[in-house]
Structure formats: C-alpha cells, structure tokens
Amino acid sequence: MNSIFYRVFSRYVFIILILSVVIFLFSFTIIRTNHINTLSSSLENLAISLEDRVLELIRQKDYSQLDAFVKEKGKHINARITVIRKDGVVLADSEEDPAIMENHNNRPEIMESITGRIGRSVRFSTTVQTEMLYIAMPLLQNGDITAVLRLSLFLEEINTLLATLRNRFLMITLIFIAIAMVLAFYFARDLSKPIKELVSTSRRIAEETLDITYQDNPQNEITFLANNFDEMASQITRLFAKTNRQKEELRAVISAIQEAVVVLNPEGKISLYNNSFASLVKRENLKHIPIGDVLPHKFTSLLSQVNEENRYYTREIELDGQIYLCSLNCLKTRKEIVVLLHNVTELKNLRQMKRDFIANVSHELRTPLTSIKGFIETLLEDENPETSRYLNIIKRNTDRLIHIVEDLLILSEMEKRDFTLKIDTLNPVHLIENVSSIFKQKMEAKGLELILDLPVHLPSLEADEFKLEQLFVNLIDNAVKYTETGSVTISARADETSVYFSVTDTGIGIPEDDLNRIFERFYVVDKSRSRRVGGTGLGLSIVKHIVLLHQGNISVNSVKKKGTEFLITLPLRSTTHLS
Ligand SMILES: Nc1ncnc2c1ncn2[C@@H]1O[C@H](COP(=O)(O)OP(=O)(O)OP(=O)(O)O)[C@@H](O)[C@H]1O
Ligand SMILES: [Mg+2]
C-alpha cells in the first residue's frame, strides 16, 4: 500500500487529525477559562458586598455572630464563605465549624491576598473533597490587612456544564473529521488518478508498446506533464524507428564487407562481427565470446598494443597458413576495439613473385651485359671512325642497361627478408667529402659550384657506410643532373640523438604534384628529359629504402625553377634492421 493515493490520503488524514485535536483542545480551554473568569468576577462582587459587615463584626471581635452571618449568607448565595485571620486561623465558615478547621495560611489564594491583591485559585479542596474556585479578598483596617474574606464555588456544576459542552464539541469535531476525510479521499483520488495513468502509460512505454496517448481533460500541471510525456513517447518511437533503421543499415554494410570485421569490448569479448569473420574462425554465435577463444595467442597479444595513446595499430599475422593484415582501432569514447582482418596472402605472393622475377631477370642480365660491354670496348680499340660512332651509342645504352640492372639488384637485395645492414662507426664529414669528390669533375664541366657546409666536429655515426655512400651518390647525382646553373650545397648538423643532412640545389625543381611520388620505383617527372639525361626513376627509391633501413626519415622541399632540397635525418645509434 505505498501507492500515491495512499500517501496523499494518509497525509491529509494526519493533517486533519492534528488540526482537529488542536482546535478542539484550544477552544475547550478558552471556554473553560472564560467561564471561570466570569464566575470569579461575580464572586468578587459578592465579596465586596459582604466586606463592610464582615469588617464590622471582626472589629467587634464577635466571631460567633460572624460565623452565623456567613452561614446565613452562604446558604443564600449558594457559595461557601470563609473568613480567615491574617495568620491563617479560620474565624468563620459557612459550611464547617471554624474551630475544627486547620490553619489556612498555606492556601495559594490566601497567600496571594495577604500581599494585598485579590487571590484566586482553582483547586481541589481537602475540606470538602471536591474541585473548587476560590476568590480571596484582603480586608483592610486602617490600611492594614487584618483578615481575608474568601468566597468559593463548587466547580462540579461548571464541570458538568463543560462536560456537556465538550461532548458536543467532540461530536462536531468528529463530524468535521468525517467530512474532511471524505473530501480528502476525493482530493487524493483526483490527484493520484492522472499520476496512476502516467504510471501505466510509462509501463507500456517500458514494454515497448509505444503507440499510446494519454488523455486528461482539465488543464493543469499534471496535464502538461502528461502532454510532455506524450510528446516524449512519440519522440522515442521516432528515435527507435530511426535507430533500428540505422542499425539495420550498419548491419547490412558490415555484412557486405569482404574483410573480417570484429568489435571487441574493453574486456576483449566479441560485441559485433560480420559473416566474413564467422567463416574465418569457422564458428557461429560468437557474441560475448572472448576473442582469445577463437583467434590464436599471437593475435590477442596485439590487443595490448592498442590503448589510449596508441589508438591505431596495423600488423600482419598468419592464421591457418594465410597472411592477414590486421588493423586494430581503439574507439576512444567507448574503449572498444574495432578489428579488421584483410587477407593479403595473394597480394603478398604476387609481390614476392614480382620481386623474385625482377631479382632473377636482373641477375641473369648482368653477366651478358657485362660481356657485351667488354666486347664493345675491345671493338672501340680498333679506332675505326666508321663504326666507332655506332659502337659508342651501343656502349652508352649498354651502360644505361647495366645501371638499371645494378639499381634493380640493389633494391632486390634490400627487400630480401634476411637483409642486414653492415653497421660501422663512421665519420659523417668524411663520408660527405668522399662522395662529393666523385662529382667534382662533372660539376666543373657543368660550371656548378659545390658548397660543403660541414661543422668542424660532428659526432660519429653508426650506420652502413656503403649504403650511405649509395644514398648520397644518388642524391648528389640528381642535384647535378637536374641543375644547369648555380650550386649544389651539402650540409650536416647533429644533436644528441640524430644527425641531419641536406642536399640542396638551384636546379629545375620538382612540380608540387609530383613531390609525393618521386620516391616510387620508376617514377620520373619528365619522361623525355629523363631519357635524355639517362634517368630511370630508381635512384630515390633506393635512397628511401636506405633511410628506412636505418630507421631514419627523408623529406623533400622544392620550388619549380628555383631548386630542390632533400632533408635526411638519421639516428646516431643505428641497430641492424631486418627488411
Ligand atoms: N634534385 C632534383 N631536382 C629536380 N628533379 C629531381 C631531383 N631529384 C629527383 N628529381 C626528379 O625525381 C625523379 C626521380 O628521381 P630518381 O633519382 O628516382 O630517378 P632518376 O634520377 O630519374 O633516375 P636514376 O636515379 O634511377 O638514374 C627524377 O626523374 C626527377 O624528375
Ligand atoms: Mg637519380
């Protein structure tokens, strides 16, 4: 019985009862006090009317006459009259023999009147064994109190009167309570009815029966609340429909994805997956299953790599002899991890085939090309002007072919799985000086200035010396090849962790659109010019490989017709890196 009706009704009842009791007690007390006050005033008046005669008899010390007087008057006015001397000795009494009466100076009304005021008290009389109202008036002789004239009334009558009054009052109060309770019942029911309806409406919402409307005619706060409720219910219906639609769409999109998709909750349990994932792990009903139950430990160890700081992580893993590119993405807000498994076995095999093919062809081409070159050189020694022109063209093209084959072999070698750098401690300044000296003659022939901007002291560098030479040969070769006038500047700087090189020229520059493609294999900006100057587009690809093998970084800035700048950062301490 903890319903809203019961709660409202019980509170109403409580207030009604409290109010009724208070009003009842308060009014009853007021009536009683008023009544006693009126009686007191009449007694006072009576006392005043008797005062002169009593004083006279006291003055004459005629106490038997005094007693007879009060007895007679007492009967007459239906009140008890007592005359008490200042010291409390009863001189006369209308009901008893004063000689046998005890001393009265401890009676509250007497004590009060001795101070000169009219004493009054309502109390139980030990003499007559009933509740009485006392009025005590001091009797003055020559300004001094000689005695006290006390008049008293039995309160029995008043009490009977008050009892009747109280019963009536009680009746009225009970009737009032009954009416108030009936009204309270209706008020409580009126108040709780719309709330009850709201409750049942909300229950229906909770049970997803959302096609509801609340009806209540009078316009008050509860109606507004109910209307808002209605509004909310229809909003929720709309939102539900929208969310369900979006959910379906999302499910359809995820199912349509060829790659295996799985979403993991923060505990590593599956919360969403698509058909491709189910067929990958050859299991159904995967929801709430820990990912460790369906994928090998090698995969689950990757999960620890993905966290708040490292939100995106990609790694190749092998499952059932197939290679998967596994991308893990941590959703920051929900701490969920989205995993995408893309089968790259075929792609990898193709790439490997391509690499093997290039490596094999280059290898097979190298020996015959070297022998062709040797024979051409022998033939050129004959110095036959007729044939030497053609032989020189053949030699130039053979040189170009050998150059391509060599570059391809370098790339193939660096792409091998077991390729290792030969790490030595080397002086970067010496390295730059050695490599740049190779180009001195070529640059002088072209009228280009070589500027070496190298500090006196640079920390030694741990790197593969031969590979770094290849790197700078390629960069300086490009700078010289693609610069007609001006200079080529090579600079180096270092801090505690890295050494920073730059190769800058004042040449033709690279168009912005081509900048992010120049490190691709065989990518040349201008094919006809490259053919002319003998470029194949492999140089920068080799450069990039070498930098990455050293865990370094390369970037390029270029302005067309102004020049190009290549910036290389290499860590001072390099570790042998597997390709
Ligand atoms: N310093 C440079 N100034 C202008 N263009 C450049 C410069 N360095 C590279 N390039 C452009 O980038 C392309 C790729 O350079 P890359 O070194 O890979 O090939 P290449 O020099 O043409 O041939 P290879 O180096 O294999 O003989 C070049 O064809 C050229 O157009
Ligand atoms: Mg080049």
Side-chain angles (χ1 to χ4, degrees):
M1 271 298 277
N2 209 12
S3 70
I4 184 98
F5 167 77
Y6 173 74
R7 290 173 64 165
V8 173
F9 183 62
S10 61
R11 277 158 181 74
Y12 271 141
V13 169
F14 180 70
I15 294 168
I16 291 166
L17 288 178
I18 293 269
L19 275 178
S20 307
V21 170
V22 168
I23 291 170
F24 174 76
L25 290 177
F26 192 63
S27 39
F28 187 73
T29 319
I30 286 177
I31 289 172
R32 193 173 189 267
T33 319
N34 265 343
H35 217 82
I36 289 173
N37 283 347
T38 318
L39 284 174
S40 306
S41 305
S42 346
L43 282 182
E44 271 175 45
N45 290 338
L46 273 172
I48 290 165
S49 68
L50 295 172
E51 186 183 10
D52 288 348
R53 181 67 185 140
V54 172
L55 259 175
E56 193 186 320
L57 289 170
I58 290 172
R59 219 177 290 124
Q60 291 165 7
K61 295 202 169 76
D62 189 350
Y63 298 128
S64 56
Q65 186 63 33
L66 181 67
D67 194 49
F69 174 73
V70 299
K71 276 194 168 70
E72 189 221 321
K73 283 289 173 194
K75 237 176 255 151
H76 192 66
I77 60 170
N78 206 15
R80 186 181 175 187
I81 306 166
T82 316
V83 182
I84 303 133
R85 215 167 57 196
K86 195 185 171 184
D87 56 2
V89 174
V90 180
L91 299 176
D93 187 77
S94 61
E95 304 288 324
E96 299 279 339
D97 179 4
I100 58 165
M101 285 172 72
E102 61 184 50
N103 189 302
H104 269 44
N105 64 355
N106 60 348
R107 302 295 196 271
E109 68 281 0
I110 306 294
M111 281 158 71
E112 199 181 341
S113 67
I114 295 288
T115 61
R117 287 197 306 270
I118 292 181
R120 193 180 116 177
S121 88
V122 176
R123 60 182 174 78
F124 193 82
S125 159
T126 44
T127 324
V128 287
Q129 294 293 312
T130 181
E131 198 183 18
M132 299 194 80
L133 163 68
Y134 294 96
I135 288 294
M137 192 175 76
L139 297 173
L140 303 175
Q141 218 174 4
N142 303 328
D144 286 335
I145 298 169
T146 46
V148 175
L149 173 59
R150 187 182 78 171
L151 269 78
S152 48
L153 262 183
F154 293 102
L155 283 184
E156 220 166 304
E157 259 175 60
I158 308 171
N159 285 342
T160 324
L161 189 82
L162 285 174
T164 326
L165 212 64
R166 188 184 54 213
N167 290 344
R168 279 204 194 142
F169 247 80
L170 207 63
M171 278 271 286
I172 293 169
T173 312
L174 286 176
I175 293 169
F176 166 75
I177 288 175
I179 295 171
M181 278 208 187
V182 172
L183 289 176
F185 175 84
Y186 284 108
F187 286 153
R189 206 186 57 172
D190 265 13
L191 197 73
S192 61
K193 193 176 146 219
I195 295 171
K196 267 186 185 164
E197 277 185 37
L198 276 177
V199 170
S200 69
T201 309
S202 64
R203 182 163 307 130
R204 273 180 287 155
I205 292 177
E207 286 161 4
E208 292 187 22
T209 324
L210 288 168
D211 51 341
I212 36 105
T213 37
Y214 172 84
Q215 272 158 8
D216 190 31
N217 294 334
Q219 290 290 307
N220 56 31
E221 287 87 343
I222 293 183
T223 331
F224 292 137
L225 177 67
N227 289 340
N228 291 345
F229 212 70
D230 259 4
E231 197 49 33
M232 270 159 58
S234 30
Q235 280 266 34
I236 294 171
T237 319
R238 277 198 296 277
L239 278 174
F240 257 128
K242 197 175 164 191
T243 316
N244 279 341
R245 215 172 38 246
Q246 285 175 344
K247 235 165 130 181
E248 280 311 311
E249 277 171 17
L250 188 72
R251 214 188 297 272
V253 169
I254 290 177
S255 302
I257 296 174
Q258 284 292 306
E259 280 80 19
V261 180
V262 60
V263 181
L264 306 175
N265 68 12
E267 287 90 49
K269 288 182 180 164
I270 297 171
S271 56
L272 189 80
Y273 62 95
N274 68 352
N275 295 341
S276 309
F277 182 76
S279 36
L280 170 73
V281 297
K282 298 182 192 78
R283 259 179 82 166
E284 288 296 326
N285 301 327
L286 291 160
K287 232 172 171 186
H288 309 305
I289 289 180
I291 192 73
D293 290 4
V294 287
L295 286 181
H297 173 72
K298 207 171 172 189
F299 172 80
T300 44
S301 63
L302 291 183
L303 288 179
S304 56
Q305 315 271 352
V306 187
N307 47 42
E308 291 280 302
E309 296 93 59
N310 194 7
R311 283 174 51 212
Y312 188 76
Y313 192 79
T314 319
R315 175 64 75 83
E316 275 177 14
I317 61 162
E318 213 176 309
L319 295 171
D320 289 338
Q322 300 285 303
I323 301 160
Y324 289 90
L325 183 70
C326 176
S327 331
L328 298 104
N329 199 349
C330 181
L331 302 180
K332 203 173 183 180
T333 43
R334 302 182 56 186
K335 298 229 169 92
E336 281 184 328
I337 297 173
V338 181
V339 184
L340 203 93
L341 292 147
H342 178 46
N343 193 333
V344 289
T345 320
E346 218 168 301
L347 201 76
K348 285 234 112 185
N349 288 345
L350 268 174
R351 263 195 210 154
Q352 195 52 45
M353 263 172 64
K354 197 176 98 187
R355 270 191 216 131
D356 291 349
F357 175 77
I358 291 171
N360 289 339
V361 168
S362 317
H363 196 79
E364 291 303 322
L365 284 176
R366 192 163 59 173
T367 327
L369 279 172
T370 324
S371 112
I372 290 170
K373 192 183 169 188
F375 284 116
I376 292 168
E377 275 163 2
T378 320
L379 285 173
L380 273 170
E381 280 167 13
D382 284 355
E383 286 184 15
N384 180 344
E386 189 61 23
T387 53
S388 65
R389 198 163 71 90
Y390 300 113
L391 283 173
N392 271 321
I393 296 170
I394 297 172
K395 185 176 174 273
R396 213 168 49 241
N397 280 296
T398 314
D399 279 342
R400 199 171 156 207
L401 268 176
I402 290 171
H403 178 67
I404 294 172
V405 166
E406 271 168 1
D407 278 355
L408 283 175
L409 278 172
I410 292 167
L411 273 172
S412 306
E413 191 202 347
M414 283 192 293
E415 279 174 348
K416 274 186 194 154
R417 273 177 181 268
D418 55 355
F419 176 77
T420 341
L421 289 173
K422 288 184 193 67
I423 302 291
D424 281 323
T425 306
L426 55 103
N427 183 333
V429 176
H430 289 169
L431 180 89
I432 302 285
E433 282 169 352
N434 287 344
V435 179
S436 57
S437 66
I438 304 173
F439 293 92
K440 249 186 191 140
Q441 215 180 352
K442 210 171 174 184
M443 288 175 82
E444 271 164 20
K446 268 187 112 175
L448 297 175
E449 189 188 355
L450 174 70
I451 304 165
L452 296 184
D453 173 17
L454 304 169
V456 185
H457 177 73
L458 263 187
S460 57
L461 175 66
E462 279 180 14
D464 186 324
E465 188 165 7
F466 182 63
K467 287 277 171 283
L468 285 199
E469 272 174 17
Q470 276 180 341
L471 183 153
F472 285 108
V473 163
N474 273 297
L475 287 180
I476 301 168
D477 179 54
N478 281 350
V480 174
K481 203 155 58 175
Y482 300 109
T483 307
E484 295 312 322
T485 52
S487 62
V488 173
T489 310
I490 305 160
S491 74
R493 295 279 176 278
D495 61 19
E496 297 83 50
T497 54
S498 311
V499 54
Y500 308 91
F501 298 101
S502 75
V503 178
T504 318
D505 62 58
T506 54
I508 57 166
I510 305 166
E512 211 181 320
D513 291 350
D514 296 290
L515 273 180
N516 51 0
R517 294 204 61 190
I518 53 169
F519 294 103
E520 286 174 21
R521 240 182 250 199
F522 295 110
Y523 190 84
V524 289
V525 173
D526 182 338
K527 283 203 172 78
S528 57
R529 190 184 53 214
S530 286
R531 217 167 290 131
R532 226 171 33 247
V533 292
T536 50
L538 284 171
L540 286 181
S541 177
I542 293 171
V543 167
K544 177 117 189 185
H545 255 79
I546 295 171
V547 171
L548 293 182
L549 284 170
H550 283 87
Q551 289 146 31
N553 186 46
I554 181 163
S555 61
V556 57
N557 303 313
S558 184
V559 179
K560 234 182 140 194
K561 290 183 184 151
K562 286 262 156 58
T564 309
E565 174 189 46
F566 281 92
L567 301 165
I568 302 115
T569 308
L570 293 177
L572 282 174
R573 311 269 158 264
S574 186
T575 45
T576 312
H577 184 82
L578 285 179
S579 173

